[in-house]
């Protein structure tokens, strides 16, 4: 069979002195977008830790920006050319590209810096655009005459389906925004279906015709059969791989990946035959060939990972593989394709074609060697200087291509006269080549500075030795909290998470570990020590809770991490932020406008209690949601951490001897646990911290009556309780009399600010709440009074959630005639005495009973007057009987 030529159109060459005519439809000229995204990829790599999510942005600028844009452009072009189909309306193509690029920007911004909703919306638009693109390809195929290249379109359509699945998973990942085993499985599925499906299937389908064209050899007779066999294996295999990862079926996932690998091998058979016919001889051919080799290497490693690792660990194990896939395979196949295709689509006649091709391939041998020497240095656990060298080689080579491609596009955009006299072009090329070489050297230097540089004396101190320190993360502490070393020492920190919940360690100099699960380890190697370096855990609230450390040169005085400003946990700025905003109490507590109206649509927590349900077994599900925004005081809304979306959480009620089976589901964004004071059980298992997406079963028997607290058991507990993670268990005493109405009031402290933030935790540590609440809202029952009738007996159950203060519950104008506290009666109806307050310490509970003597409005308050005046206040509206 004859070689396949992928061309746009044929036009007669320009005559002497005539302007060179442009050629090719609009969407092929849109390759300027691809080159721009490649330039942004290099910029993202150079910027590094200055970006809000550096690694994630680098990956997605390349894949969503450059690669996805290129796929939309070229798969439509190849479909039109190979099937000899009619070119679709260019306005529709422009619309798709515009929507795709706008949605890509939305995803990049939404995940790294903006609202999550922006990222989810962007992902939805990307999925819609790619499905629209696939429908266009199907329509083109159906409208074309039967031909021997129609099988290529099937690869493109299946690839689009893979991106649709990957985009949905990406949107869900952005919406969940938290670690945990299900999250990690979804992350692994998202990565596999996008890289192997959207990119892998597109590349394999394209290479059937593009590879022989690049080599200028005949198309193998086996191409059509290999394409059919490869697609029938790869697509179902990819579906099994994705489904197996999501469903936690490791061997299903492994079988699917094996099928995909077999399909890839089948598809590569005609490509290998083409190589036997003619060896690669151009920069494009060698670059694309290197990309295929890296793809196969990565695929073999991928199979080993999926076979040997639990599905929840696949995503983490794939991290070192990313450079081989992204740089070795994805970037190189894109660069190689553009090397071959750009001169053809930019047109300008044979002379201009040769000029463009020669310009793009300048120095290709050096660039190819640099790229493929640098790629393994990014993936292997090599010393830091070699890793820096790897970045320099890869980015210098990539930058050189971006510069050359930009020059080529600029040349195509500027009409030129006929070729210059012999020798002129050659002379013109010398400064261009020198400029490219200088650009490569400057890029390499910039990479070394960006990756290995820094500020201050640390960059100039000569190392005087090396030292390894074991660092442990546990109990809301980094141990050791202070490391002292001689100036110039090269420190290696071997970090171990010895805690049940996840932690990480980040240093002010930029080094950081990944988020470590229980028992996981990581190693950080620092630059030669020149000045003090702070470190901390970045999990929400952990730094403020004391998970900090400091590395100091031996000549600098030791400052304890607890000393405030040294670690940023309680420096002058933190105190000053809250000082001066006092309410006249002398403690700096801000004044809440409790008389202001509640916002429209606000609903109070339902304080009314129904009787204990029948039966001795109670099954309940309690789900964590730590993204709820609630009105915590009149006109004041903030995010809270909740059980079941409310503060307090759902009430559990029963009788002595009842058994409660609680399914605890962590639907939040960080680790949480739960502790029921009403149960007697070893805390090791049921009270352990579980990660987002995980669940556990907590079973306990209520052997004792009382009003019991339950709360989050994850350290630091004070933060989790203060931000709303508490509730009540009511176990009726055996002789509990019937009453007309029952209410529950759970008292709690109010700390304004982002949960877990340093400013909030400083107030929590110093015992300076911004207010006090009943049932999650300061003065809420002033605005939605509790109802009763004169002469009715009312029972008020109370639990003091704290975390640091109790309550002295008092009803103005109606003494209590019954008092039950911490499992026993202190006063019963009919006794000669009465009670003024139900006095509870933090975590205690009980109830009081009273009869309202006449209609009216009766305040219910915490008789610690500061608490009452700062929100622990409500009303009973008593009507006539």
């Amino acid at each position: 069979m004859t070689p396949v030529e992928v061309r746009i159109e044929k036009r007669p060459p320009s005559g002497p002195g005539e302007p060179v005519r442009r050629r090719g439809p609009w969407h092929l000229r849109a390759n300027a977008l691809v080159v721009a995204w490649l330039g942004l990829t290099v910029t993202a790599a150079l910027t590094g830790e200055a970006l809000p999510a550096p690694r994630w942005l680098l990956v997605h600028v390349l894949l969503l920006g450059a690669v996805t844009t290129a796929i939309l452009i070229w798969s439509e072009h190849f479909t039109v050319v190979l099937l000899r189909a009619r070119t679709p309306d260019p306005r529709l193509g422009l619309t798709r590209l515009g929507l795709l690029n706008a949605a890509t920007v939305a995803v990049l911004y939404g995940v790294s810096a903006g609202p999550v909703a922006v990222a989810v919306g962007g992902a939805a638009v990307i999925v819609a655009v790619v499905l629209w693109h696939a429908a266009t390809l199907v329509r083109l195929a159906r409208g074309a005459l039967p031909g021997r290249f129609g099988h290529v379109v099937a690869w493109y359509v299946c690839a689009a389906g893979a991106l649709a699945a990957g985009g949905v998973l990406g949107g869900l990942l952005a919406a969940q925004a938290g670690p945990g085993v299900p999250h990690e499985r979804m992350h692994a599925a998202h990565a596999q279906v996008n890289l192997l499906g959207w990119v892998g299937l597109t590349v394999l389908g394209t290479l059937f015709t593009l590879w022989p064209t690049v080599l200028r050899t005949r198309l193998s007779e086996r191409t059509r059969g290999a394409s059919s066999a490869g697609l029938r294996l790869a697509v179902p295999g990819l579906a099994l791989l994705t489904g197996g990862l999501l469903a936690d079926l490791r061997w299903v996932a492994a079988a699917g990946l094996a099928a995909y690998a077999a399909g890839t091998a089948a598809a590569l058979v005609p490509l290998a035959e083409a190589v036997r016919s003619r060896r690669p001889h151009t920069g494009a051919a060698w670059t694309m060939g290197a990309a295929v080799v890296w793809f196969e290497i990565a695929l073999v490693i991928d199979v080993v990972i999926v076979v040997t690792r639990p599905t929840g660990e696949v995503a983490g194990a794939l991290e070192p593989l990313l450079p081989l896939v992204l740089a070795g395979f994805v970037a190189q196949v894109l660069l190689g394709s553009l090397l071959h295709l750009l001169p053809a689509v930019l047109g300008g006649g044979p002379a201009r074609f040769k000029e463009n091709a020669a310009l793009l391939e300048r120095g290709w041998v050096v660039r190819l060697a640099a790229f493929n020497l640098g790629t393994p240095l990014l993936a292997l656990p090599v010393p830091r200087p070699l890793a820096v060298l790897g970045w320099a080689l890869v980015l210098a080579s990539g930058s050189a291509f971006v510069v050359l491609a930009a020059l080529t596009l600029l040349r195509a955009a500027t009409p030129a006269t006929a070729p210059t006299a012999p020798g002129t072009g050659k002379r013109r090329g010398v400064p261009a080549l020198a400029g490219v070489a200088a650009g490569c050297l400057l890029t390499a230097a910039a990479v070394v500075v960006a990756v290995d540089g820094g500020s201050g004396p640390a960059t100039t101190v000569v190392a005087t030795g090396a030292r390894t320190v074991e660092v442990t993360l546990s109990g809301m502490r980094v141990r050791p909290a202070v490391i002292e070393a001689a100036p110039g020492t090269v420190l290696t920190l071997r970090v171990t998470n010895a805690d049940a919940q996840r932690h990480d360690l980040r240093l002010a100099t930029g080094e950081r570990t990944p988020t470590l699960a229980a028992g996981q380890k990581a190693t950080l190697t620092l630059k030669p020590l020149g000045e003090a370096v702070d470190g901390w855990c970045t999990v929400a609230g952990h730094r403020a809770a004391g998970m900090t450390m400091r590395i100091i040169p031996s000549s600098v005085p030791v400052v304890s991490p607890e000393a405030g400003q040294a670690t940023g946990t309680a420096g002058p700025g933190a105190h000053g932020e809250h000082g001066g905003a006092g309410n006249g109490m002398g403690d700096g507590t801000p004044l809440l406008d409790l008389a202001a109206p509640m916002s429209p649509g606000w609903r109070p927590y339902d304080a009314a209690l129904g009787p204990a349900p029948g039966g001795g077994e109670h099954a309940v599900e309690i789900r964590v949601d730590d993204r709820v925004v609630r009105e915590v005081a009149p006109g004041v809304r903030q995010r809270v951490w909740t059980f079941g979306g409310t503060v307090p959480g759902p009430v559990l009620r029963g009788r002595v001897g009842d058994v409660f089976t609680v399914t605890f589901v962590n639907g939040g964004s960080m680790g949480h646990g739960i502790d029921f004071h009403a149960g007697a059980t070893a805390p090791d298992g049921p009270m352990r911290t579980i990660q987002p997406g995980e669940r556990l079963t907590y079973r306990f028997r209520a052997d004792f009556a009382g009003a019991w607290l339950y709360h989050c058991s994850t350290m630091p507990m004070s933060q989790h309780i203060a931000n709303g993670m508490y509730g009540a268990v009511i176990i009726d005493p055996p002789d509990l009399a019937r009453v007309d109405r029952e209410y529950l009031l759970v008292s709690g402290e109010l700390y304004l600010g982002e949960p877990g933030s340093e400013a909030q935790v400083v107030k929590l540590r110093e015992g300076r709440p911004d207010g006090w609440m009943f049932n999650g809202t300061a003065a809420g029952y002033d605005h939605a009074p509790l109802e009763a009738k004169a002469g009715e007996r009312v029972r008020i159950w109370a639990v003091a959630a704290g975390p640091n203060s109790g309550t002295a519950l008092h009803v103005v104008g109606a003494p209590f005639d019954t008092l039950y506290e911490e499992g026993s009666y202190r006063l019963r109806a009919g006794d000669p005495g009465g009670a003024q307050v139900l006095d509870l310490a933090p975590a205690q509970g009980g109830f009081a009973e009273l009869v309202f003597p006449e209609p009216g409005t009766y305040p219910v308050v915490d008789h610690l007057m500061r608490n009452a005046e700062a929100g622990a206040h409500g009303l009973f509206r008593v009507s006539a009987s």
Side-chain angles (χ1 to χ4, degrees), residues 26-380:
W26 68 267
H27 64 282
L28 297 174
R29 292 187 170 277
N31 283 285
L33 279 173
V34 180
V35 175
W37 279 114
L38 286 173
L40 287 175
T41 302
V42 174
T43 303
L46 289 171
T47 307
E49 290 294 327
L51 296 172
R55 187 176 180 85
W56 185 93
L57 277 175
L58 178 61
V59 170
H60 288 80
V61 167
L62 173 63
L63 293 180
L64 274 183
V67 174
T68 300
T69 300
I71 289 176
L72 252 65
I73 294 170
W74 288 105
S75 57
E76 181 179 314
H77 164 60
F78 289 142
T79 300
V80 170
V81 172
L82 294 174
L83 301 184
R84 300 181 184 275
R86 184 176 180 179
T87 303
D89 186 345
R91 291 173 297 181
L92 298 178
L94 269 173
T95 302
R96 283 193 294 272
L97 272 186
L99 288 173
L100 173 70
N101 282 267
T104 298
V105 172
V107 170
L108 298 177
Y109 171 75
V111 171
S112 61
V116 171
V118 174
V120 174
V125 173
I126 290 173
V127 170
V129 168
V130 171
L131 291 178
W132 180 14
H133 170 74
T136 300
L137 299 186
V138 171
R139 181 176 56 80
L140 290 172
R142 288 179 176 174
L145 295 174
R148 55 197 177 100
F149 301 120
H151 60 91
V152 172
V153 179
W155 287 83
Y156 295 155
V157 173
C158 291
L163 183 68
V168 170
L169 292 174
L172 291 173
L173 286 169
Q176 290 182 359
V181 173
H183 183 280
E184 295 300 310
R185 293 202 304 265
M186 190 181 298
H187 185 191
H190 167 74
Q192 298 274 19
V193 75
N194 280 335
L195 288 171
L196 301 183
W198 176 233
V199 181
L201 294 180
T202 300
V203 169
L204 290 172
T206 301
L207 288 178
F208 286 122
T209 53
L210 183 60
W211 182 242
T213 302
V214 172
L215 294 181
R216 298 194 176 278
T217 187
R218 296 179 178 275
L219 197 68
S220 170
E221 298 289 346
R222 299 187 183 183
T223 297
R224 192 175 185 86
S227 174
S228 177
L231 195 63
R232 289 177 180 177
L233 285 169
V235 173
L238 189 63
L240 284 175
L241 170 62
T242 307
L245 290 172
L246 292 174
D248 195 18
L249 301 172
R250 181 171 62 174
W251 292 109
V252 171
L257 185 54
Y260 178 91
T264 301
L268 292 178
V269 169
L271 276 63
E273 288 187 359
V275 173
R276 285 196 293 269
S277 298
R278 188 173 187 186
R279 299 288 179 87
H281 58 286
T282 64
W286 277 104
T287 303
M288 294 168 64
V292 172
V293 171
W294 282 119
F295 180 58
E296 290 302 300
I297 292 172
L299 196 56
V300 170
I301 299 173
D302 193 6
V303 171
V304 173
I305 290 172
V306 172
V307 169
T308 58
R309 298 292 186 94
T311 55
E313 297 179 9
V314 168
L318 288 174
E319 285 290 319
L321 195 59
L322 276 178
L324 303 185
V325 177
L326 298 180
F329 169 54
V330 176
Q332 284 203 114
V333 81
L334 181 58
L335 298 181
S337 300
L338 292 176
L339 275 174
H340 176 76
L341 294 168
L342 272 182
V345 301
L346 294 177
R352 179 56 63 89
F353 173 88
K354 291 180 180 179
E355 286 182 3
N356 288 339
L359 178 60
L360 281 173
E361 292 213 346
R362 277 188 181 156
W364 71 264
V365 174
V366 175
R367 287 189 279 128
L368 180 72
F371 207 100
N372 287 280
L373 284 173
T375 295
L377 295 179
L378 301 181
L380 296 173

